[in-house]
């Protein structure tokens, strides 16, 4: 029998607890704090910490119930130790230690980015999808504050071959959404919703790091390009072309990701 693991993540604005057995995810319960942080235009660490502490017990109870497991069935507790927001991470780490002591089981510390990589191996409770990941492979992480490509020769063997030199793609979209709409977090869904009905060919925004010669990313320049564009055009034109500007910006961001990935695969 493969070990049953209780997995805890409180690295940012979601209190997330799952129960897994091998690759199968028996349950995955999350409490999202998006509504709590919208007024701040981003994640407010002390608010995040308080919400994690308030919701942890109920999320844990639901995760165990949905998995049809009891505390006595848990063999290990896995918990995210970073990167992430320190006050938020602290809640998950403390709770993991408390449960490990009470239940008498070992703790598995998990790197946040490594967790994203291995999520590709996840299956539902019926064992689907039944796919095999063959090495060597490239793990492409485009998650919130992280944008990086990792070359993997085997399990646990990592080489970062490309990463952002400043902002991540997600942060870039957040800031673009604030420029275009005056608010909103996370910005990705806002930009995407606007872009769906927009024309990405009407304005010119350069694809960042296109001729850099390496596999790194940068998104500070593209934000400046958007700011300059918005300053240059009249307010009425901006209002009438919000969807077109969003579509142009989103395409530039996504093109940069796609082109670097293709380059990495070829290399």
């Amino acid at each position: 029998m493969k070990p049953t693991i209780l997995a805890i993540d409180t690295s940012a604005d979601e209190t997330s607890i799952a129960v897994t057995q091998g690759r199968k995810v028996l349950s995955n319960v999350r409490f999202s704090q998006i509504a709590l942080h919208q007024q701040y235009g981003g994640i407010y660490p002390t608010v995040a910490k308080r919400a994690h502490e308030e919701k942890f017990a109920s999320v844990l109870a639901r995760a165990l119930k949905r998995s049809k497991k009891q505390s006595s069935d848990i063999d290990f507790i896995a918990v995210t130790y970073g990167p992430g927001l320190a006050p938020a991470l602290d809640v998950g780490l403390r709770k993991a230690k408390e449960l490990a002591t009470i239940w008498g089981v070992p703790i598995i510390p998990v790197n946040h980015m490594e967790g994203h990589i291995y999520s590709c191996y996840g299956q539902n409770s019926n064992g689907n999808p039944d796919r095999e990941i063959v090495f060597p492979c490239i793990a492409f992480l485009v998650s919130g504050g992280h944008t990086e490509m990792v070359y993997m020769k085997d399990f646990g063997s990592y080489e970062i071959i490309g990463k952002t030199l400043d902002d991540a793609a997600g942060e870039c979209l957040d800031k673009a959404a604030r420029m275009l709409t005056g608010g909103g977090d996370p910005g990705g869904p806002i930009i995407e919703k606007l872009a769906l009905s927009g024309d990405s060919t009407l304005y010119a925004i350069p694809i960042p790091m296109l001729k850099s010669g390496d596999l790194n990313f940068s998104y500070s320049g593209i934000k400046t390009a958007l700011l300059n564009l918005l300053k240059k055009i009249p307010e009425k034109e901006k209002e009438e072309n919000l969807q077109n500007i969003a579509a142009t910006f989103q395409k530039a961001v996504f093109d940069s990701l796609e082109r670097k990935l293709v380059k990495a695969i070829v290399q």
Side-chain angles (χ1 to χ4, degrees):
M1 180 70 71
K2 292 180 179 177
T4 301
I5 298 174
L6 182 88
I8 299 168
D9 177 79
T10 62
S11 57
D13 61 346
E14 284 190 342
T15 308
S16 182
I17 300 178
V19 178
T20 68
Q21 196 166 58
R23 290 173 61 184
K24 294 180 181 179
V25 180
L26 306 182
S27 69
N28 181 28
V29 179
R30 293 175 297 155
F31 170 73
S32 173
Q33 302 176 8
I34 287 178
L36 299 177
H37 299 284
Q38 280 182 333
Q39 61 180 309
Y40 305 110
I43 303 173
Y44 200 94
T46 54
V47 172
K49 180 176 182 176
R50 185 166 62 248
H52 285 311
E53 290 173 337
E54 290 173 353
K55 298 296 181 180
F56 189 90
S58 62
V59 173
L60 173 62
R62 280 184 285 154
L64 288 170
K65 184 177 181 180
R66 290 184 189 178
S67 70
K68 298 179 181 177
K69 297 292 183 182
Q70 299 178 0
S71 58
S72 57
D73 298 316
I74 303 300
D75 298 302
F76 297 91
I77 294 175
V79 59
T80 306
Y81 68 83
L85 297 174
L89 286 164
D90 179 65
V91 177
L93 289 166
R94 282 191 290 105
K95 296 294 185 181
K97 291 175 183 177
E98 289 172 13
L99 293 174
T101 301
I102 296 168
W103 296 349
V105 297
I107 289 179
I108 303 171
V110 179
N111 178 279
H112 187 166
M113 295 298 97
E114 192 173 21
H116 280 299
I117 290 173
Y118 283 103
S119 68
C120 298
Y121 287 86
Q123 297 175 326
N124 64 21
S125 57
N126 295 318
N128 294 313
D130 185 15
R131 64 183 169 209
E132 180 184 4
I133 296 178
V134 180
F135 295 104
C137 67
I138 293 173
F140 197 16
L141 302 174
V142 188
S143 166
H146 304 274
T147 301
E148 59 187 41
M149 284 189 289
V150 183
Y151 179 63
M152 292 180 66
K153 293 182 180 178
D154 203 343
F155 292 106
S157 172
Y158 311 109
E159 179 189 351
I160 297 175
I161 57 175
K163 62 181 180 179
T164 180
L165 302 178
D166 39 60
D167 283 354
E171 292 172 324
C172 176
L173 291 169
D174 287 342
K175 290 169 184 174
R178 287 196 282 273
M179 287 187 213
L180 290 174
T181 66
D185 184 78
I190 295 170
I191 296 293
E192 183 176 24
K193 188 175 180 179
L194 288 169
L196 283 171
S197 55
D199 184 344
S200 63
T201 65
L202 294 183
Y203 291 94
I205 292 180
I207 300 170
M209 298 285 282
L210 191 58
K211 298 178 181 179
S212 67
D214 56 30
L215 298 174
N216 292 324
F217 305 88
S218 170
Y219 293 101
S220 58
I222 191 175
K223 288 184 304 179
T224 303
L226 176 61
L227 182 63
N228 290 338
L229 173 64
L230 295 177
K231 286 180 177 178
K232 185 173 68 175
I233 61 177
E235 187 64 28
K236 190 170 186 292
E237 181 183 344
K238 172 190 166 184
E239 292 173 2
E240 292 174 348
N241 288 274
L242 211 56
Q243 291 91 341
N244 300 327
I245 298 169
T248 303
F249 188 82
Q250 179 178 264
K251 187 175 187 303
V253 173
F254 289 0
D255 277 357
S256 76
L257 296 169
E258 183 181 345
R259 294 190 188 202
K260 292 285 184 172
L261 178 58
V262 169
K263 187 173 184 178
I265 292 169
V266 171
Q267 288 186 9

